[in-house]
Amino acid sequence: MRTGNKGTKYDAVVIGGGHAGAEAAYILSGMGFDTALVTHDGDAISRMSCNPSIGGVGKGHLVREIDALGGLMAKAADRTGIQFRILNGSKGAAVQGLRCQSDREEYSREVRRILAGRPLLEILQGEAVELEVSAGRVRGVRLEDGRILRTGMALITSGTFLRAKMFVGLEETYGGRIGEPSSNLLADNLEKQGVVFGRLKTGTPARLARRSINWDAAETQLGDEVPEPFSLFSRPFPALPQVACHITHTTKETAEIVRSFLGESPLYKGLIRGIGPRYCPSLEDKVVKFPHHERHQVFLEPQGLDSDEIYPNGISTSLPRKAQDAFIRSIPALEEAKVLTYGYAVEYDFIQPTSLDMDLCFKGVEGLHFAGQIIGTTGYEEAAGLGLYAAFNIGAKLGKKDPFRLGRHESYLGVMVSDLVANGVLEPYRLFTSRAEYRLLLDRHSAYRRLSGCAEERGLIPEGESGFRGSREKAFDRHLADLKTKKLGGKGSSLYTLLKRSDADIPNIMSEISLEDPFMRAYLVSEIKDEGYRERQREEAEKLAGSLGTRIPAKLDIKSLPGLSREIVERLISKKPATLLEASRIPGVTPSALTILRVEIERLRRK
Amino acid sequence: MPDLEGTIFGEMTYPGRSALRAVRVSGPLSRKITKKLFFSKSDPWKNPRTAVSGLLRNLEGKPVDSILALAFPSPNSYTGEDCAEFQCHGSEGVIRGLRSSLFALGAREALPGEFSYRAVLAGKMAAEEAESLGDLVRAETELEACAVGISGSGSSRSRILALKEAILQLRAKWEARIDFPEEVPQPGIKTWKKELLPVLKSVRDALSLSRRSRPVREGFRVAIFGAPNSGKSSLFNCLLGRERAIVTPHPGTTRDMIEEKLDIDGIPMVFMDMAGARRKKPGIEKEGILRALESAKRADAVLFLFDGSRGWDAADDEALRMLDRKPLLFIASKKDLYGKKGHGAALKALEISNRTGEGMDGLIKRLSEWGKRNLPKKGIFLMNGRQEECLLGIEAALAEAEKAVTSGENELLAAEKAREAQREIDELLLSASGEELYDLIFSGFCIGK
């Protein structure tokens, strides 16, 4: 940075130290840019506001992609995980998801340690209150204490903090997280720049005292015997001792108690306008919408190795405190549970991602970027992925390079960004594997091959054989060649051919080659077994990308060609796809609609 | 793709002898064409959508016919463009003359469905409606018209919508298990298969119903078969009511196949006249006989003719052996030559005379009864080629899904194939499918920890 009388100068300023902000600051400073990370509390960086866990189906894939792209989340999660499990272990390799329980305090500390290793990154404690904008572009960021950070590139990763309101029962307080204030001045200032906000809602359960739980009454859930790390380059792994989790469930009585308090629910009384995610419902919602379900699972997750806090995953609520006390005690193992912090709902401002371009830059102000929960997503992993993506693009602009883009058949990150920017959100967006059209191509094993080249180019990870991609792919090729030449007991078909059979005795076949690494083994097996299907998806994806590369001219008046249904016309007008490919990603735009567009483009071209 | 700018014309009535024939013109030249070809005291363009009587002239200005003309100025016309309609007397000569005048004035013959295509592009009609309408316009019998009508709004469409719902429900169950393994119960692969099979079955039912409904559009194929000189071409001409096939007293006159579509009591049938079957293949006839056999084998029904005046003989035996399938009817022809003492009765054959028309009513009655018996019982399900192709795509995808849940333990591949099936049905319906899958998942399963 260079300090002058007009303030300190940075290449980029990241506002908000959550998962998106931390990832973005790490990437920008790693690419060689002077970066400031503004956070209201330097100790709260990458704090897990909700469950102490990272990954899952889809989300776990995203974390692996973040690692392949040189981000920090996978490393931090591996170093602070206290239980690792593969979900969907019995289903196809491409949808197996890696998930871990984290030591919440350690995770935040680890991220801070990682960020401290970036000499070009400066972490500034304070509240950003104003963007300085002139002639339609960002000139700087003003903090509440009067400091001015001069920069052309701002990235807002404020999570749920803009005009955040918390609800416990009918009680309303301002704040984005228990004990942390909301940012209202910044929201006001952004509105002045033309940003239009909507409201979303999320919630969290009470935290319980570990010693007050009757553990014997709960079912035990252990981690995997041979845990797989998010980053295949994490050493040593696992770094922390591994622990068990526990599962219990709500009862009929729980549902009755919840029902009797609905009159004091801010959700059902209409105090909360914001829309919450359907896949993360409060217990109130579960009870009302699924009255025939006698029980709902409750996962008792430790907040950390030494922490006395337990996170009861599955009973997020904004009912009043007395209701929370009562229903928690109706749950087996929690009869005597002591509540440390009560559950609450948060309602916050978000910006529709449709008002952003593919760089995640606000269309109204040059240099003003947004990423993370503020653009309508939910989840640490989604936030981190978007922070990384925005940082790559800010870096591209600063370095005058081509923008960073990822296809939907190349990565889940690409799926997420194009879903968001093309379609906007109606509820907080979470990544599901089913959102990707070509899931077989996006398995976790191939992430380094798919993506690490992008990080190598930017100097974020080592290149060549010592790099992620080089080292793994070289080993992969060697073992694949082995499998193609060796035979079981020296006779018959090659191991490779045998593996392709549906009744293949995989452990026996794989024992024929010398390969210790269980993850490399899984990689090889999955690549070989589904090869044909994957090839077909790849061809289909590439064919689509080729024929759909045609640009849609701005002068094409979509309203004048309504061989299209009104619904499609409206979507095309509001989303303004630049190419047929982008149009094809808009839900509801059928191949027939694309044909009509193609005919019209051709007609215009000939005019 | 044709250029969409030009002026097009097309005959609105079915070509053939009738009291009235009408031609529609659409496009920017409509006004100029009216001015050049239509003479009247009042200008139809000043009295839009009203029939104006006047004279149709040729390009030299000679009056050709006294006609009615209607003008539909843009945008209030079928296609949204300037449109004109000329209603002439039912003369092939008049129409031919009008066509060449229109062509000389810069219009071109419309491609099939082009008026509707323009209507769609002008927002006058939804694509799906046009497709259904196109089918209606092409419907050649009342039966077909009813069925197409149904497929537009009633049974065929609701069948497809039900299928789409079934595919979406299947996907919702499967995708919920994949994306939310901790929250949704995880039954074994057998359950996946059990859930898939009824959907696959209803796709296959729809396909077979559509195949069985095909005669409704394309007509039952009826082969007129028999030994040479048994009177096949005469019967063919008699059914048609005109001299379509060449008839001579010499055996082996017909060498090529001729077919014509006819409306038999409201049931469409395609009659095929073909070379007489005999084994000694004198050169040029050889190919014709092979084709005849092939067509007769694939026909929906075969009418087996023999010369009733001569009686059944070795040539008929030979022809029957070559046919190698059971004919629908044996017909003893040339009744006018043998009167009451025919050989037909003994063989339970239908006796007819192509010359006097005797027995033809009976034949028509037998054919129409047979046709009605063979129409699909469970209602008619008409798909056009594009729709049926989508249906085939769905079937192929779900069949692969079945393979995935049968041989390997591969739920994921099955789910990928179910996704393909959904893409096909969206295409079939030309409709939008966005977040419906997630609506079903989140309303059907309590997701969320």
Side-chain angles (χ1 to χ4, degrees):
Chain A
M1 81 224 72
R2 292 155 297 277
T3 307
N5 50 2
K6 283 185 175 166
T8 319
K9 195 171 182 322
Y10 297 92
D11 292 322
V13 174
V14 180
I15 299 168
H19 302 279
E23 203 68 66
Y26 179 70
I27 292 292
L28 280 165
S29 54
M31 284 193 285
F33 299 112
D34 282 324
T35 308
L37 176 62
V38 182
T39 171
H40 63 83
D41 178 359
D43 288 339
I45 285 178
S46 288
R47 183 173 281 172
M48 297 179 171
S49 343
C50 211
N51 55 330
S53 162
I54 285 179
V57 178
K59 287 165 174 280
H61 291 78
L62 204 45
V63 180
R64 176 67 60 80
E65 289 184 359
I66 290 170
D67 191 50
L69 287 165
L72 64 78
M73 180 171 252
K75 293 193 253 290
D78 287 341
R79 287 177 203 161
T80 58
I82 54 178
Q83 186 193 76
F84 287 82
R85 278 198 318 131
I86 293 274
L87 306 180
N88 273 345
S90 66
K91 299 199 191 87
V95 288
Q96 291 169 3
L98 183 51
R99 182 179 188 275
C100 81
Q101 291 299 137
S102 299
D103 185 309
R104 180 174 179 263
E105 275 309 312
E106 271 308 309
Y107 183 84
S108 167
R109 207 171 294 142
E110 182 62 36
V111 172
R112 279 177 273 154
R113 262 197 295 269
I114 292 173
L115 292 181
R118 290 286 205 223
L120 294 178
L121 174 63
E122 193 178 357
I123 296 174
L124 303 172
Q125 198 153 308
E127 187 187 347
V129 292
E130 202 180 303
L131 279 176
E132 301 207 326
V133 174
S134 70
R137 59 168 311 142
V138 169
R139 307 287 170 183
V141 176
R142 203 168 62 79
L143 306 190
E144 197 200 21
D145 58 17
R147 274 182 289 176
I148 290 175
L149 316 179
R150 298 192 348 96
T151 187
M153 293 289 160
L155 172 60
I156 299 188
T157 55
S158 53
T160 63
F161 277 75
L162 292 191
R163 295 204 190 105
K165 252 191 214 174
M166 294 190 295
F167 296 83
V168 183
L170 303 180
E171 226 179 276
E172 269 181 57
T173 45
Y174 282 92
R177 199 155 44 199
I178 287 284
E180 299 175 35
S182 60
S183 315
N184 297 339
L185 293 171
L186 182 60
D188 294 344
N189 179 255
L190 286 169
E191 267 175 355
K192 269 188 217 138
Q193 315 296 347
V195 172
V196 177
F197 289 112
R199 295 290 271 178
L200 289 175
K201 171 249 157 186
T202 185
T204 192
R207 310 297 195 270
L208 309 176
R210 185 198 290 260
R211 278 163 300 183
S212 67
I213 294 171
N214 173 18
W215 293 102
D216 294 338
E219 192 188 316
T220 305
Q221 190 178 45
L222 296 172
D224 289 343
E225 256 176 63
V226 183
E228 179 175 329
F230 286 105
S231 170
L232 292 175
F233 301 90
S234 287
R235 308 278 187 279
F237 177 81
L240 297 182
Q242 301 295 290
V243 302
C245 287
H246 294 82
I247 305 176
T248 179
H249 54 84
T250 63
T251 59
K252 271 189 195 163
E253 199 195 338
T254 318
E256 273 159 35
I257 297 167
V258 169
R259 247 177 248 123
S260 71
F261 279 102
L262 285 179
E264 292 173 62
S265 154
L267 215 56
Y268 285 88
K269 292 289 279 182
L271 266 63
I272 298 178
R273 287 182 300 126
I275 297 159
R278 287 175 296 179
Y279 33 83
C280 205
S282 60
L283 185 60
E284 297 89 289
D285 268 343
K286 290 183 183 180
V287 165
V288 171
K289 290 182 182 152
F290 297 91
H292 51 287
H293 285 208
E294 270 188 25
R295 46 158 78 180
H296 298 276
Q297 278 186 309
V298 182
F299 296 79
L300 300 173
E301 303 175 349
Q303 294 266 49
L305 284 177
D306 305 321
S307 164
D308 187 41
E309 268 189 8
I310 293 297
Y311 183 96
N313 202 343
I315 50 171
S316 141
T317 184
S318 54
L319 288 177
R321 294 180 183 85
K322 58 179 189 271
Q324 297 193 27
D325 280 329
F327 83 64
I328 285 170
R329 286 179 190 149
S330 71
I331 296 171
L334 305 183
E335 293 91 347
E336 313 270 313
K338 187 171 165 256
V339 172
L340 297 174
T341 328
Y342 286 93
Y344 59 91
V346 190
E347 193 190 48
Y348 56 95
D349 275 3
F350 82 105
I351 170 173
Q352 267 298 352
T354 45
S355 58
L356 307 177
D357 65 18
M358 287 299 285
D359 288 342
L360 299 186
C361 183
F362 177 58
K363 287 173 187 166
V365 178
E366 244 179 276
L368 173 56
H369 302 78
F370 290 84
Q373 206 158 1
I374 177 93
I375 69 170
T377 62
T378 163
Y380 314 143
E381 305 81 356
E382 283 86 348
L386 291 168
L388 176 142
Y389 179 89
F392 267 60
N393 278 303
I394 291 171
K397 288 194 221 178
L398 288 168
K400 302 198 167 30
K401 300 257 171 60
D402 285 343
F404 176 62
R405 297 290 181 267
L406 288 169
R408 292 180 73 90
H409 62 292
E410 288 170 320
S411 72
Y412 278 107
L413 187 50
V415 170
M416 172 165 65
V417 172
S418 75
D419 274 351
L420 288 169
V421 173
N423 306 331
V425 300
L426 294 172
E427 67 186 324
Y429 177 99
R430 173 171 153 189
L431 188 69
F432 310 125
T433 64
S434 50
R435 294 194 195 268
E437 291 80 4
Y438 306 107
R439 260 191 296 209
L440 299 180
L441 306 180
L442 304 182
D443 67 292
R444 70 190 191 285
H445 301 297
S446 64
Y448 297 106
R449 184 182 57 213
R450 284 185 273 126
L451 301 169
S452 286
C454 304
E456 288 171 7
E457 279 168 25
R458 290 162 176 80
L460 292 165
I461 53 174
E463 284 179 65
E465 280 180 31
S466 60
F468 290 2
R469 192 169 52 146
S471 60
R472 283 195 69 74
E473 295 313 313
K474 204 180 155 214
F476 178 88
D477 292 344
R478 201 174 55 239
H479 294 303
L480 187 65
D482 266 6
L483 286 167
K484 282 186 171 170
T485 49
K486 286 193 179 160
K487 292 166 181 174
L488 204 55
K491 286 195 292 279
S493 311
S494 69
L495 299 175
Y496 172 86
T497 311
L498 294 176
L499 272 176
K500 278 191 173 295
R501 295 193 184 150
S502 63
D503 57 350
D505 177 0
I506 295 169
N508 189 28
I509 297 170
M510 294 305 283
S511 67
E512 290 281 312
I513 61 169
S514 55
L515 170 55
E516 292 297 312
D517 179 351
F519 312 121
M520 180 58 77
R521 199 178 307 157
Y523 185 12
L524 280 161
V525 171
S526 89
E527 285 287 312
I528 293 168
K529 281 203 97 61
D530 298 344
E531 202 178 15
Y533 291 94
R534 210 177 13 255
E535 269 320 302
R536 245 189 292 167
Q537 287 205 342
R538 198 187 319 279
E539 277 165 24
E540 206 181 304
E542 278 163 10
K543 204 170 77 193
L544 198 70
S547 70
L548 297 180
T550 315
R551 295 202 70 76
I552 299 174
K555 63 179 174 177
L556 180 71
D557 182 8
I558 285 161
K559 263 192 220 144
S560 76
L561 45 131
L564 311 168
S565 73
R566 191 168 306 139
E567 192 184 359
I568 290 177
V569 170
E570 276 168 14
R571 289 184 191 187
L572 287 172
I573 288 174
S574 73
K575 281 154 196 170
K576 295 188 185 63
T579 59
L580 286 177
L581 183 65
E582 284 179 38
S584 74
R585 288 172 184 162
I586 299 170
V589 174
T590 62
S592 317
L594 290 173
T595 306
I596 292 177
L597 281 176
R598 197 176 289 142
V599 169
E600 288 303 310
I601 293 168
E602 181 59 19
R603 202 162 66 84
L604 273 181
R605 200 181 61 81
R606 287 189 191 169
K607 258 187 188 171
Chain B
M1 227 28 236
D3 83 292
L4 296 161
E5 297 288 276
T7 299
I8 51 172
F9 64 88
E11 188 171 348
M12 302 164 74
T13 41
Y14 197 75
R17 218 178 298 159
S18 66
L20 191 83
R21 291 177 77 171
V23 170
R24 174 194 276 152
V25 180
S26 175
L29 294 175
S30 299
R31 285 168 196 262
K32 190 185 128 193
I33 284 169
T34 315
K35 207 168 173 190
K36 184 90 186 160
L37 299 179
F38 182 70
F39 290 80
S40 169
K41 268 176 259 163
S42 69
D43 180 356
W45 290 96
K46 290 187 178 136
N47 303 285
R49 290 177 299 282
T50 309
V52 175
S53 71
L55 287 176
L56 177 72
R57 300 196 185 186
N58 64 17
L59 289 173
E60 285 90 54
K62 278 194 193 140
V64 178
D65 190 11
S66 101
I67 66 165
L68 292 176
L70 289 96
F72 301 87
S74 169
N76 299 316
S77 69
Y78 179 72
T79 58
E81 304 170 323
D82 277 347
C83 275
E85 285 177 22
F86 303 107
Q87 300 179 0
C88 319
H89 288 102
S91 145
E92 186 61 35
V94 169
I95 292 295
R96 210 174 288 152
L98 176 55
R99 272 214 180 97
S100 57
S101 303
L102 288 169
F103 191 74
L105 290 171
R108 65 171 168 80
E109 192 102 38
L111 295 167
E114 194 173 357
F115 286 104
S116 297
Y117 185 71
R118 290 184 178 208
V120 167
L121 284 185
K124 291 277 171 179
M125 199 190 287
E128 201 204 17
E129 200 185 324
E131 191 174 33
S132 193
L133 187 78
D135 292 343
L136 184 65
V137 170
R138 280 191 299 275
E140 289 177 20
T141 59
E142 199 185 324
L143 178 69
E144 190 187 345
C146 285
V148 172
I150 291 165
S151 79
S153 59
S155 75
S156 294
R157 190 178 157 78
S158 56
R159 184 181 288 271
I160 290 298
L161 287 176
L163 200 55
K164 176 179 174 170
E165 180 68 19
I167 291 171
L168 269 172
Q169 290 283 5
L170 183 73
R171 286 201 66 211
K173 279 185 206 140
W174 288 5
E175 294 298 349
R177 285 176 203 148
I178 289 175
D179 269 327
F180 309 100
E182 291 184 291
E183 294 115 301
V184 173
Q186 300 287 330
I189 195 96
K190 281 196 183 125
T191 305
W192 288 62
K193 190 171 176 181
K194 220 159 57 193
E195 290 160 344
L196 169 67
L197 290 180
V199 185
L200 184 55
K201 183 174 181 307
S202 54
V203 176
R204 287 184 171 150
D205 285 351
L207 260 175
S208 95
L209 198 53
S210 157
R211 278 193 201 116
R212 274 181 288 134
S213 302
R214 203 179 293 160
V216 174
R217 169 165 295 133
E218 292 168 10
F220 287 104
R221 297 185 69 79
V222 180
I224 302 174
F225 193 84
N229 211 19
S230 53
K232 296 179 294 299
S233 298
S234 298
L235 173 60
F236 183 73
N237 286 340
C238 190
L239 283 164
L240 253 63
R242 61 192 159 101
E243 300 293 307
R244 173 72 176 80
I246 301 163
V247 179
T248 71
H250 310 293
T253 306
T254 307
R255 282 165 186 166
D256 208 356
M257 288 259 310
I258 314 178
E259 54 177 70
E260 283 282 343
K261 191 171 175 182
L262 285 180
D263 180 339
I264 300 294
D265 265 2
I267 300 188
M269 293 190 188
V270 177
F271 289 93
M272 294 175 282
D273 182 26
M274 47 186 64
R278 57 173 158 185
R279 280 204 200 280
K280 280 175 278 165
K281 303 155 219 163
I284 190 161
E285 249 185 280
K286 180 179 168 181
E287 187 58 31
I289 293 173
L290 282 175
R291 281 189 204 174
L293 278 171
E294 191 54 37
S295 306
K297 272 176 194 156
R298 278 185 303 169
D300 295 304
V302 176
L303 304 179
F304 192 101
L305 253 75
F306 65 97
D307 185 338
S309 67
R310 217 175 53 217
W312 186 273
D313 65 14
D316 299 316
D317 270 334
E318 186 178 307
L320 190 59
R321 267 198 309 276
M322 287 169 78
L323 174 63
D324 200 25
R325 67 175 279 189
K326 204 172 162 251
L328 172 67
L329 278 176
F330 286 99
I331 297 173
S333 64
K334 309 185 188 178
K335 190 171 171 59
D336 49 301
L337 295 183
Y338 58 82
K340 282 189 183 139
K341 296 170 287 175
H343 303 271
L347 288 156
K348 287 190 183 158
L350 194 72
E351 299 181 340
I352 60 161
S353 163
N354 298 320
R355 192 165 297 161
T356 64
E358 193 183 344
M360 287 305 284
D361 286 349
L363 173 61
I364 300 283
K365 194 164 159 257
R366 295 282 293 271
L367 280 171
S368 89
E369 279 167 7
W370 167 81
K372 278 175 192 149
R373 267 201 313 279
N374 282 281
L375 286 176
K377 308 262 180 311
K378 281 186 260 170
I380 292 165
F381 183 63
L382 278 191
M383 304 257 92
N384 61 28
R386 187 193 65 79
Q387 293 167 330
E388 198 169 292
E389 214 168 280
C390 292
L391 212 50
L392 280 168
I394 297 168
E395 200 256 352
L398 294 184
E400 284 205 57
E402 189 197 0
K403 225 166 68 192
V405 290
T406 305
S407 62
E409 301 265 303
N410 211 330
E411 294 97 332
L412 173 60
L413 294 183
E416 294 297 273
K417 291 296 162 188
R419 177 205 305 279
E420 263 178 52
Q422 193 200 321
R423 208 160 45 205
E424 290 283 357
I425 201 150
D426 282 343
E427 185 57 23
L428 197 164
L429 286 164
L430 301 173
S431 78
S433 224
E435 291 280 291
E436 285 142 298
L437 176 68
Y438 297 110
D439 294 344
L440 281 176
I441 291 179
F442 299 127
S443 61
F445 300 93
C446 186
I447 303 288
K449 299 213 293 185

